[in-house]
Amino acid sequence: MLRSSFQRHHCLFQKAVLGARFHTRCLSVGEQGTFAEGLEEAVRLLKEDQIVGIPTETVYGLGGNALSEKAVSKIFEAKNRPPDNPLIVHVSSLSMLKSILPNNDIPKLYLPLLNAFWPGPLTLLFPKSELIPDIVTCGQPTVAIRFPKHPITQALIEKFGKPVAAPSANTSGKPSPTLAEHVCRDLSGKIPLVLDGGACNVGVESTVLNGLTVPPVILRPGGITYEQIRAVPGFEDVRVYQRDFSDKEMEKKPPTPGMKYRHYAPDAPVILVECDEGVEDTLQKIASEIQNASAKVGVLRTSSFPLKHRGLPVVEYSLGDGNHPDQVARELFKGLRILDGSGVKFIIVEGIKEDHEGLAVMNRLRKAADKIVTSV
Ligand code: TXA
Ligand code: MG
């Protein structure tokens, strides 16, 4: 029902279930004329402590006034987000950043990172001030903050004049949305407005970096790569959580991204193939097991050799060339959603190397996977 009622750029949604509270309006703001209208409407809603779907360069966010407990609680409710998973606060300038930090003080060690990567897909942990309600950080003494690059969301935060808390705008546990239509599918009836700013450029979420510890730690790999961060003075020793070390105590705590809860998963079970060799053998083996149940199988491709389907009902979707991980990152969540929407019973994914954006891609895929195949 949702799919048939969705029109690409300007549409109304209403969830066909009891308890729907909103007609969800999806407003294209990429074109002349609608930009001002969209921003005005979104600012009006934010001022009323409503929440709005917003485009960012990484994934779509579900934004609300970060200084309002009431608005932030609506974010948790609409996403069905576990109450101990803290949110990222979005700012539109360094002066707005300062205004929410204790003593208006930006930690000095962050300055080279801010120069290099802000605005952009890098989230940093800062000491939390009293201004930020506890519900945003789930009681943590730190707050995650980022300055997004997308011009629509920058303009929106600037016009609103206050920081905006925004998790990814998916139902908790599902793949993050990289198109406005993904937000509508997950949250229709639950929010009043989605600003459609087109496809997200980066396609995976921001990197979450804690520079307040020695050595600094990448808690979640994302749009700014490990290689880029390591090249910044003071961050040569940065470590990647789960790749370079793990910490049982830390995993019990809420702030460790994606540790405690299932993430990024479509409805169909995901089988991730991580072997360097014999990808086709593995795919065929899995496919023939599945054939017994005569199920349609989706394959997310990152290589280009032709796959032998052997008469199986296989739906292929290319994520791009695995040697260009930025392309794969851009397509990843969309690909998972497309195959899920095509009614496949399983989704097999060809893994890629864990360098550059490949680290974030493989992090998301391992969390989404029901099964990981590492040898033929
Ligand atoms: O690119 C992004 O970061 C997108 C766009 C919308 O900005 N947002 C996003 O938010 O991915 P979300 O809520 O889906 O993921 C935020 C992650 C969570 O895994 C959370 O655990 C972590 O950031 N986080 C938030 N506050 C934290 C804190 N104080 N300490 C450690 N991790 C924190
Ligand atoms: Mg998320």
Side-chain angles (χ1 to χ4, degrees):
M1 150 17 237
L2 298 181
R3 250 156 247 176
S4 60
S5 68
F6 180 79
Q7 282 162 15
R8 189 133 191 227
H9 283 302
H10 190 180
C11 58
L12 288 176
F13 269 82
Q14 186 175 26
K15 211 164 190 143
V17 292
L18 287 175
R21 286 186 294 140
F22 295 103
H23 286 277
T24 301
R25 193 170 175 217
C26 184
L27 188 61
S28 171
V29 280
E31 296 148 21
Q32 269 192 345
T34 52
F35 186 78
E37 183 199 339
L39 286 194
E40 213 165 284
E41 177 66 359
V43 167
R44 187 185 67 75
L45 289 164
L46 291 177
K47 284 184 176 162
E48 286 175 5
D49 281 340
Q50 302 283 5
I51 55 175
V52 175
I54 54 174
T56 87
E57 73 278 23
T58 56
V59 300
Y60 274 76
L62 180 57
N65 182 355
L67 308 184
S68 158
E69 205 177 304
K70 187 172 163 201
V72 173
S73 68
K74 287 182 183 169
I75 295 175
F76 279 89
E77 192 190 330
K79 269 187 68 101
N80 198 19
R81 186 177 178 95
D84 60 356
N85 195 2
L87 304 183
I88 294 173
V89 171
H90 297 67
V91 296
S92 58
S93 64
L94 292 186
S95 57
M96 189 181 281
L97 169 70
K98 279 187 192 168
S99 75
I100 54 170
L101 294 179
N103 308 317
N104 300 335
D105 187 30
I106 301 178
K108 294 238 169 346
L109 84 166
Y110 279 151
L111 295 179
L113 286 175
L114 301 187
N115 278 330
F117 304 123
W118 274 24
L122 176 67
T123 296
L124 296 169
L125 297 199
F126 290 90
K128 176 183 130 30
S129 75
E130 293 290 302
L131 271 179
I132 306 290
D134 282 340
I135 185 174
V136 172
T137 62
C138 304
Q140 300 301 311
T142 56
V143 56
I145 305 181
R146 95 173 182 100
F147 181 173
K149 199 170 194 168
H150 200 291
I152 292 170
T153 287
Q154 274 185 11
L156 174 67
I157 301 170
E158 200 54 26
K159 201 166 155 63
F160 178 50
K162 288 179 187 165
V164 168
S168 50
N170 51 303
T171 299
S172 267
K174 293 288 152 207
S176 296
T178 54
L179 291 171
E181 112 182 46
H182 299 159
V183 183
C184 289
R185 281 185 191 158
D186 277 17
L187 300 179
S188 114
K190 296 182 172 175
I191 60 174
L193 178 69
V194 181
L195 295 181
D196 183 348
C200 299
N201 233 344
V202 177
V204 289
E205 300 87 344
S206 62
T207 302
V208 178
L209 174 63
N210 186 0
L212 303 176
T213 56
V214 181
V217 175
I218 294 174
L219 290 169
R220 177 179 72 180
I224 298 294
T225 66
Y226 162 74
E227 291 84 352
Q228 287 174 295
I229 291 171
R230 202 183 46 177
V232 171
F235 289 84
E236 297 86 352
D237 296 337
V238 67
R239 294 192 297 166
V240 179
Y241 188 62
Q242 273 194 318
R243 186 193 71 174
D244 301 336
F245 75 106
S246 60
D247 177 339
K248 288 273 170 280
E249 278 312 299
M250 196 158 136
E251 283 176 24
K252 284 188 209 142
K253 290 188 195 157
T256 312
M259 220 35 52
K260 222 174 135 180
Y261 301 103
R262 182 129 197 250
H263 270 67
Y264 316 114
D267 291 333
V270 171
I271 302 167
L272 174 61
V273 179
E274 286 197 28
C275 359
D276 286 342
E277 290 165 6
V279 173
E280 182 162 49
D281 284 353
T282 313
L283 293 175
Q284 295 298 343
K285 189 172 156 222
I286 296 164
S288 46
E289 280 166 18
I290 289 165
Q291 186 187 26
N292 300 335
S294 63
K296 198 155 92 173
V297 181
V299 184
L300 282 183
R301 306 289 319 269
T302 57
S303 60
S304 55
F305 67 86
L307 265 189
K308 294 190 195 88
H309 293 181
R310 297 194 182 150
L312 290 168
V314 173
V315 185
E316 289 188 31
Y317 182 84
S318 173
L319 297 177
D321 179 351
N323 296 314
H324 294 278
D326 58 323
Q327 289 177 4
V328 177
R330 201 171 298 132
E331 287 292 317
L332 177 67
F333 290 132
K334 184 171 143 206
L336 287 169
R337 281 180 180 260
I338 283 178
L339 286 188
D340 221 18
S342 72
V344 298
K345 289 279 183 286
F346 297 89
I347 299 175
I348 299 171
V349 190
E350 292 177 337
I352 63 171
K353 274 203 267 172
E354 282 185 272
D355 44 24
H356 304 283
E357 293 83 355
L359 187 65
V361 167
M362 292 305 285
N363 167 277
R364 307 304 186 270
L365 282 173
R366 287 184 190 140
K367 289 186 200 309
D370 292 80
K371 185 175 171 187
I372 298 178
V373 178
T374 50
S375 62
V376 182

